[in-house]
């Protein structure tokens, strides 16, 4: 059966979101951590002593989102937070022995597989994909705020997307 480009795009996005959601559920059920937590553990395994801002950069998310994930991992005893021996104002993060054991048993996180798939594209295609996804986000009038890590939940003060009627009222009020 032949589908048009819009249908193919929506179907591909559904497969991607479904795979991420199922992998998240499987990680929770099997290892007691979310896929986002697994992704953070992988990043900490690559370089043992990391700051929160370095983890945020490695996971391509903002520090506030990654902070919530790191706190959950610390509470579970999978990550150890210490004072940086070179700068007492800074803390470092590293895997605990339990965190290392969990990673040895766990499959690659869906986020790391997604990053690898995107990185496998030629640079021009990565730029094109980023531009197209950004246009879709803007076309859907989604808020510009940084989103949390996949399936990790919304920060407490996150606003829900506005209804079409609320957007129209605001435009009318502003004269646009």
């Amino acid at each position: 059966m032949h589908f048009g480009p819009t249908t193919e795009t929506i179907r591909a996005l559904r497969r991607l979101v479904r795979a991420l959601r199922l992998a998240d559920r499987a990680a929770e059920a099997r290892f007691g951590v979310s896929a986002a937590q697994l992704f953070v553990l992988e990043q900490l395994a690559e370089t043992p002593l990391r700051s929160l801002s370095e983890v945020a950069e490695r996971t391509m998310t903002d520090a506030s989102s990654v902070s919530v994930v790191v706190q959950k991992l610390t509470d579970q005893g999978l990550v150890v937070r210490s004072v940086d021996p070179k700068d007492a104002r800074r803390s470092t993060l590293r895997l605990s022995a339990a965190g290392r054991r969990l990673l040895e048993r766990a499959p690659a996180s869906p986020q790391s597989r997604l990053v690898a798939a995107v990185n496998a594209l030629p640079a021009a295609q990565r730029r094109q994909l980023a531009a197209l996804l950004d246009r879709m986000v803007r076309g859907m009038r989604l808020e510009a705020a940084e989103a949390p890590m996949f399936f990790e939940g919304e920060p407490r003060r996150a606003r829900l997307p506005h209804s079409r009627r609320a957007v129209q009222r605001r435009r009318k009020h502003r004269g646009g």
Side-chain angles (χ1 to χ4, degrees):
M1 183 181 294
H2 175 70
F3 295 107
T6 300
T7 301
E8 289 296 336
T9 300
I10 299 303
R11 289 169 56 112
L13 287 171
R14 284 182 187 146
R15 287 192 308 268
L16 177 62
V17 170
R18 179 178 186 268
L20 290 169
R21 186 179 61 245
L22 291 176
D24 182 62
R25 287 181 188 163
E28 281 279 358
R30 190 159 173 220
F31 302 105
V33 296
S34 70
Q37 292 167 348
L38 187 58
F39 187 44
V40 168
L41 290 173
E42 289 170 336
Q43 301 315 306
L44 288 172
E46 288 183 17
T47 304
L49 295 176
R50 292 231 183 244
S51 69
L52 193 61
S53 61
E54 290 170 325
V55 174
E57 185 178 320
R58 294 276 307 158
T59 59
M60 295 164 270
T61 192
D62 65 290
S64 63
S65 290
V66 94
S67 175
V68 171
V69 174
V70 166
Q71 187 59 53
K72 289 176 184 177
L73 292 168
T74 303
D75 292 346
Q76 292 177 34
L78 300 172
V79 169
V80 176
R81 191 184 302 251
S82 308
V83 174
D84 187 334
K86 297 176 186 171
D87 184 352
R89 297 169 297 175
R90 184 181 136 154
S91 63
T92 59
L93 305 167
R94 65 178 171 79
L95 290 180
S96 67
R100 280 191 298 282
R101 284 192 303 273
L102 186 147
L103 264 185
E104 288 170 2
R105 298 185 342 255
S109 71
Q111 289 90 326
S112 64
R113 292 180 9 233
L114 178 61
V115 169
V118 171
N119 283 335
L121 296 172
Q125 287 182 353
R126 286 194 309 267
R127 284 190 297 275
Q128 184 179 25
L129 178 60
L132 291 170
L133 289 171
D134 185 60
R135 281 181 65 187
M136 285 176 54
V137 166
R138 283 186 281 121
M140 293 174 67
R141 293 188 177 98
L142 299 177
E143 64 179 277
E146 191 69 30
M149 298 179 78
F150 284 116
F151 305 106
E152 192 52 35
E154 289 295 323
R156 287 191 176 169
R157 292 189 166 195
R159 295 184 330 204
L160 295 174
H162 295 38
S163 70
R164 180 177 288 158
R165 187 171 289 165
V167 170
Q168 289 170 341
R169 273 187 300 221
R170 236 186 357 269
R171 282 188 186 148
K172 190 174 187 178
H173 179 71
R174 286 187 281 186

